[in-house]
Amino acid sequence: MGAAVAALFLTVAIIRDVCAPKFAMIVTGVVTSGSAAFGIVQPFVLEIATKVFGWQFVFVVSARSRPWPRCSCAW
């Protein structure tokens, strides 16, 4: 839960750095609203997926959603 709150504040800070001041607050509203809507829908989707695939699917999804060890990122 704490990581989600920290990610929200970091997202707002990154948007303020990347976007022009005129559009930064609009983009922040869209991003925070989208994350809130996802948080509302997520339990329903996870409940259906748990019934279909069993509780083990959580670990498969977590393993597949992490970044690949050898990605072609320009970092």
Side-chain angles (χ1 to χ4, degrees):
M1 193 71 164
V5 173
L8 180 65
F9 287 116
L10 288 173
T11 302
V12 172
I14 291 170
I15 290 171
R16 289 183 63 196
D17 286 344
V18 172
C19 295
K22 184 176 181 180
F23 299 110
M25 290 299 111
I26 295 170
V27 174
T28 301
V30 170
V31 169
T32 54
S33 298
S35 65
F38 180 71
I40 292 169
V41 173
Q42 181 183 10
F44 300 109
V45 173
L46 291 178
E47 181 180 354
I48 294 168
T50 303
K51 287 180 182 177
V52 173
F53 299 111
W55 59 270
Q56 294 92 349
F57 91 96
V58 174
F59 298 103
V60 174
V61 170
S62 297
R64 293 292 296 162
S65 64
R66 69 177 181 84
W68 293 102
R70 294 183 182 180
C71 66
S72 60
C73 302
W75 295 344

